[in-house]
Amino acid sequence: MGKAKGKAPHVRNGTANKGATKIQAEETPQKILEGLFDLQWHSYIALGVFVGVYLKCTSASIPSGDAGDFIMAAQHFGVAHPPGYPLYVTAGYLWMNLLPFGNPAFKLNVLTSFIGGLAAFIVYLTAYKITNFIPSAVFASGVFGFSHLIWFHSVGAEIFSLNNLFCGLLLYWVVRFQQADVTHRARVAMEASFLSGLSMCNQHTSGLFIGVIGAWMFMSLLKDKAITMQQFLQTGAAFAVALTPYIQLPVSAYFAHAPSTWGDHRTLAGIIKHVAREEYGTFRLTADDTVSGDLFGNMATYTSDLVHELTNVTLALCVLCVATAWYFPKIRTIVYVYVANMFVYIMFFCNQANIDHSRELMKGVLERFWMQSNIPVSILAGCGIWCVYTPIKEKCNSLGTVLYYALGVGALAMAAYQIKNNYTICDMSKNYIMRDYGRKLLDAMPANSVLLVEGDMPSLTSRYLRYCENYRPDVDVVDQELIGFAWYKPMHKHNFKQYIFPYDREVYFKDVLARKGDQYAFSYNFQSVFDVHTRAGIPLYIYPFMKHGDESYKEHYDLLPTNMVYEVRHKQMAYTVDQFLDKAYQQDYNFNENMAYCDGTLYPVRSWEYVIAESCGHTAFFPPEHAHRMITVGNAYTDPKNHPTLVNIYKLYKRAHDTLTITEEDGTKTRNLFAPDHNKNFGVICYLIYNNLANINKDEAGKFAKVMVEQWEVYFNRSGKQDTDGLMRVINDVFNRYPDIKTNEKYLM
């Protein structure tokens, strides 16, 4: 029997282990992980910190963004929007069935927080494996893991944390490959191929990393003649095997019957269409052909966001590392591979991202995709610290220890700085805004009714509550966008109790279908929807508006604002203005405390929370403005008999205004949770009343004039617009007639 190669057998108390069986028995999962990741005592501390902080900040209920879609898919084993994200959905399904406590949203949020903590931990391990320098690892993981984007999207049910984990692992495997013995690199490449396949079962943007890393590994193996044809085929097979989570799509289609599934995956063509994101624009972020990718504009946005997220210090250290990498053979190749990754990702994505980033919300949507490129930037910045430390230590060894601890303290300080800046905005543990918003929508609905919703947040929040928490099971929630797809009826008709597909036709009318000719016969419009539900006596409501482009209903139907939603009402059953006012007075606009903070003081303007607050503010003013429009038809407001109606409209305006105006306890600051145009319209109704009373009761008219002036002044201050409607002329006339209107208490309402 020949001599054993490699390490000598482990000896305990002077006695050799008994054969290979004993050695294999010691290959526990922990030891395998330690062999793959070079785990040290300090790395466990880093893992505990990231996972602990993320769990502390985990969202307690449904978060914003696409979270509702993922939670519904995971809860019912459905399929999420393209490309389906089968790995995240399947893991979420298993996890949600294992975790014994919490609502469905909280369960998936917890899993995401664990994944996010692992992603930040991998950044720590990668920086340490490159440099073997703890301050580098602390700095890289601290600025990355506690940056706003990474932190925020790691505490709610989103796929970005899993994408960050896979991209981090791919960058870690770059280091493993480079540091491995040439004879072992083929195996490392096979492991990387398997990780690549899994990552493609989540977010396809990781394919940009895979392309660069895979090409570099393959060229290196060919150059060193370190791969055989068998190993090459095995590497490809590893990638293919890792794609097996996509089996979830047809399994869901045939067996799950989920109320939240997207697409028809009962055929290979349907699966390919979904995975290729054909309905989302394939290589673009959206299917909107009217907006093209703006390379330079997107690059400017990315650079600004990079500095905001990771700080100038991080960017400077990253540049330093890249500039000096040539002088450090230990890290040179790794740095250049990372730079190539960043270059390909940024250039491709900036060119293809067809989002209008002039809008703050769309900027928020776009910036989520910068997280992937922030990973190598953070790691290179950590390596930049090592590049500063190494030459100084080599030239003056006596400074080595002092500099080591100084850099360590600096790295911790940078992590603390990130925590200080981002903790408040990333702590979602008490954020129930989306849940409360969805509940208010559903609470506005009468029994056994249908709600047609437009937009991601109204749709996802209300459908999550309806189909995951069984909230208002008597209400059918139908997404106006989704009914435009041919797969919607066959995949969802079994989920509805009230909603009727008109004339048993297949798909809601869309211009894109009309151009295809024969499909027009199988489509319907919203008048068809309204007709069939009106005849069946099923209450039908809209929120927040009708889908743009379809005005077929306007000849026969009105949309009447009632509470937060619009009632679809046939014009033959129209209300009088007084009947409408009586109905409007019964509505509840008592937004809770969570809503009061959605005005930009806590959540940024580009967040969905801010958009929800603005939407709610608009909604509260819709009833008085609708009544305003009703009474101005034919100048009915000039009729003295309608003066009481004008006053009632004023009261409705005032209630909406007072409900959505927040004054601090010390009275020094007032915040308005509604758009400035509502101040203007409130002032207009006051002007109509003032005009009617001016020659009848001067003092009573002065009271309304005072409110009018206040509202128009607030309008000009908040909007910054010029006076194009002659409002200032009216204000000056009021001041001429009532010189003391601002100080005399008799003009107070």
Side-chain angles (χ1 to χ4, degrees):
M1 190 173 180
K3 293 182 179 180
K5 296 181 180 179
K7 294 183 179 179
H10 178 69
V11 178
R12 181 176 299 166
N13 297 329
T15 305
N17 291 332
K18 297 180 179 179
T21 305
K22 179 71 174 178
I23 297 175
Q24 292 174 359
E26 293 183 354
E27 290 294 319
T28 62
Q30 180 180 356
K31 288 190 176 294
I32 293 173
L33 285 175
E34 289 177 349
L36 287 174
F37 294 103
D38 299 330
L39 299 177
Q40 306 290 329
W41 62 269
H42 49 85
S43 58
Y44 290 106
I45 295 175
L47 176 62
V49 168
F50 287 117
V51 172
V53 171
Y54 287 177
L55 287 176
K56 165 65 176 67
C57 299
T58 297
S59 183
S61 186
I62 177 175
S64 57
D66 294 325
D69 185 36
F70 296 124
I71 298 166
M72 286 187 288
Q75 171 83 353
H76 300 287
F77 203 64
V79 177
H81 63 274
Y85 309 97
L87 184 62
Y88 184 76
V89 169
T90 302
Y93 175 78
L94 296 173
W95 173 266
M96 292 167 75
N97 280 280
L98 289 173
L99 196 65
F101 59 87
N103 59 63
F106 176 75
K107 290 181 178 182
L108 195 57
N109 294 340
V110 168
L111 175 62
T112 306
S113 294
F114 274 116
I115 295 171
L118 286 173
F121 172 63
I122 291 299
V123 171
Y124 181 96
L125 291 182
T126 305
Y128 182 75
K129 188 171 182 63
I130 296 172
T131 63
N132 200 31
F133 192 58
I134 294 177
S136 292
V138 172
F139 184 93
S141 59
V143 295
F144 173 79
F146 295 125
S147 63
H148 164 247
L149 277 177
I150 302 301
W151 194 344
F152 183 82
H153 289 289
S154 294
V155 297
E158 278 280 10
I159 48 84
F160 296 105
S161 59
L162 185 56
N163 189 52
N164 292 337
L165 175 60
F166 278 121
C167 290
L169 285 170
L170 288 170
L171 294 178
Y172 181 85
W173 248 256
V174 168
V175 185
R176 288 197 72 228
F177 182 90
Q178 180 63 20
Q179 294 180 354
D181 185 88
V182 172
T183 58
H184 295 154
R185 284 184 174 180
R187 178 177 177 83
V188 176
M190 191 185 307
E191 296 166 352
S193 179
F194 183 78
L195 286 173
S196 299
L198 285 179
S199 70
M200 292 298 288
C201 296
N202 187 54
Q203 194 174 26
H204 288 177
T205 54
S206 60
L208 296 171
F209 273 29
I210 293 168
V212 173
I213 294 172
W216 168 70
M217 287 186 176
F218 183 63
M219 290 169 62
S220 298
L221 290 170
L222 287 180
K223 177 184 175 183
D224 297 330
K225 298 180 180 179
I227 187 170
T228 64
M229 178 56 70
Q230 181 181 1
Q231 289 172 324
F232 176 77
L233 294 175
Q234 289 172 340
T235 302
F239 182 87
V241 168
L243 295 176
T244 52
Y246 277 109
I247 294 174
Q248 187 262 342
L249 274 63
V251 170
S252 171
Y254 279 105
F255 301 107
H257 304 296
S260 56
T261 202
W262 179 301
D264 186 350
H265 313 105
R266 294 172 296 181
T267 65
L268 181 60
I271 295 172
I272 293 174
K273 182 177 184 179
H274 196 77
V275 174
R277 300 180 70 254
E278 290 182 18
E279 294 163 332
Y280 260 37
T282 307
F283 291 116
R284 297 184 168 221
L285 286 186
T286 71
D288 187 356
D289 293 330
T290 62
V291 181
S292 59
D294 179 5
L295 175 61
F296 296 107
N298 286 334
M299 287 183 67
T301 301
Y302 169 68
T303 304
S304 173
D305 185 80
L306 180 66
V307 173
H308 175 73
E309 289 291 321
L310 301 181
T311 76
N312 282 313
V313 174
T314 303
L315 187 58
L317 286 170
C318 177
V319 172
L320 173 67
C321 174
V322 175
T324 60
W326 180 261
Y327 302 101
F328 300 99
K330 174 181 177 180
I331 68 170
R332 182 192 304 157
T333 302
I334 296 169
V335 169
Y336 293 157
V337 173
Y338 283 10
V339 170
N341 264 292
M342 292 165 51
F343 178 80
V344 170
Y345 182 84
I346 293 169
M347 294 300 292
F348 181 89
F349 197 87
C350 287
N351 190 58
Q352 294 297 115
N354 58 331
I355 283 183
D356 179 12
H357 49 72
S358 62
R359 296 170 53 197
E360 285 297 325
L361 178 62
M362 291 298 99
K363 243 183 217 179
V365 172
L366 178 63
E367 68 181 2
R368 301 178 303 171
F369 295 91
W370 302 137
M371 288 186 279
Q372 184 169 320
S373 57
N374 286 355
I375 302 173
V377 171
S378 301
I379 296 172
L380 291 176
C383 294
I385 292 181
W386 179 83
C387 292
V388 171
Y389 170 80
T390 301
I392 295 176
K393 182 179 182 300
E394 289 176 351
K395 291 183 178 181
C396 187
N397 190 54
S398 60
L399 290 177
T401 302
V402 175
L403 185 59
Y404 179 89
Y405 286 108
L407 291 173
V409 170
L412 289 171
M414 182 58 72
Y417 173 81
Q418 290 284 75
I419 293 173
K420 176 180 177 296
N421 283 350
N422 298 315
Y423 179 82
T424 301
I425 199 171
C426 292
D427 183 8
M428 297 289 107
S429 58
K430 296 180 181 178
N431 184 349
Y432 292 93
I433 293 171
M434 293 299 160
R435 183 203 66 179
D436 294 344
Y437 171 64
R439 285 183 177 181
K440 289 195 74 65
L441 283 179
L442 294 176
D443 288 344
M445 300 293 293
N448 303 313
S449 55
V450 174
L451 175 61
L452 285 170
V453 291
E454 168 73 3
D456 288 345
M457 289 306 98
S459 174
L460 295 177
T461 53
S462 55
R463 288 195 295 134
Y464 160 77
L465 289 168
R466 168 64 181 84
Y467 298 116
C468 290
E469 295 192 8
N470 203 32
Y471 192 84
R472 290 302 305 270
D474 60 312
V475 175
D476 281 345
V477 182
V478 183
D479 190 305
Q480 295 182 43
E481 181 67 27
L482 296 186
I483 61 176
F485 293 106
W487 49 260
Y488 189 77
K489 181 183 176 182
M491 298 303 293
H492 286 274
K493 60 184 178 181
H494 60 278
N495 295 319
F496 299 124
K497 298 177 181 178
Q498 276 76 237
Y499 181 71
I500 303 171
F501 289 88
Y503 317 124
D504 201 35
R505 293 179 181 172
E506 291 300 318
V507 63
Y508 161 69
F509 169 78
K510 294 178 76 175
D511 288 341
V512 67
L513 293 179
R515 291 195 294 267
K516 292 183 180 178
D518 59 338
Q519 290 208 47
Y520 181 80
F522 300 100
S523 64
Y524 56 85
N525 56 25
F526 274 121
Q527 179 173 328
S528 304
V529 176
F530 293 0
D531 285 343
V532 71
H533 288 86
T534 300
R535 286 195 294 268
I538 299 172
L540 188 65
Y541 290 79
I542 306 294
Y543 182 86
F545 43 69
M546 291 299 301
K547 186 171 179 61
H548 296 301
D550 184 353
E551 299 184 352
S552 58
Y553 64 92
K554 287 191 173 182
E555 182 179 351
H556 301 288
Y557 291 91
D558 285 325
L559 302 181
L560 303 179
T562 168
N563 209 327
M564 285 190 69
V565 296
Y566 283 95
E567 177 187 1
V568 175
R569 195 168 183 85
H570 200 283
K571 289 185 176 181
Q572 293 179 352
M573 301 180 288
Y575 295 117
T576 66
V577 63
D578 291 314
Q579 288 174 328
F580 177 77
L581 286 170
D582 289 340
K583 186 177 179 65
Y585 272 121
Q586 302 172 19
Q587 299 168 17
D588 172 28
Y589 291 113
N590 185 26
F591 293 96
N592 61 29
E593 183 178 352
N594 279 317
M595 292 295 184
Y597 290 102
C598 297
D599 62 343
T601 58
L602 179 56
Y603 301 105
V605 177
R606 62 183 61 174
S607 69
W608 279 110
E609 284 82 359
Y610 182 90
V611 173
I612 291 304
E614 189 177 53
S615 173
C616 291
H618 282 299
T619 303
F621 277 92
F622 286 165
E625 290 181 353
H626 183 80
H628 186 170
R629 287 191 295 272
M630 291 176 72
I631 202 169
T632 53
V633 173
N635 294 327
Y637 59 87
T638 60
D639 189 337
K641 293 186 298 183
N642 288 329
H643 177 73
T645 302
L646 282 173
V647 174
N648 286 334
I649 296 174
Y650 161 83
K651 291 177 180 178
L652 206 57
Y653 264 113
K654 190 173 189 308
R655 185 179 73 164
H657 173 273
D658 293 348
T659 300
L660 296 170
T661 301
I662 308 298
T663 302
E664 302 293 349
E665 292 183 2
D666 59 6
T668 59
K669 185 179 180 182
T670 298
R671 295 178 285 157
N672 302 109
L673 306 181
F674 52 86
D677 283 345
H678 297 307
N679 293 108
K680 176 184 176 181
N681 295 336
F682 187 14
V684 170
I685 201 70
C686 293
Y687 168 74
L688 296 178
I689 299 173
Y690 156 73
N691 211 38
N692 285 346
L693 292 175
N695 298 321
I696 301 174
N697 188 331
K698 181 179 178 181
D699 289 346
E700 189 68 17
K703 294 179 180 180
F704 289 97
K706 179 180 176 66
V707 178
M708 176 196 74
V709 170
E710 291 172 348
Q711 291 303 313
W712 284 352
E713 286 181 342
V714 171
Y715 162 71
F716 286 124
N717 289 334
R718 293 184 63 206
S719 69
K721 294 180 179 179
Q722 299 295 319
D723 180 21
T724 58
D725 301 313
L727 304 185
M728 290 305 302
R729 178 182 55 79
V730 176
I731 292 175
N732 291 331
D733 289 345
V734 168
F735 285 152
N736 290 333
R737 186 169 187 179
Y738 303 93
D740 59 344
I741 193 170
K742 287 195 173 184
T743 57
N744 196 326
E745 293 186 359
K746 73 177 182 179
Y747 298 122
L748 293 175
M749 293 294 286

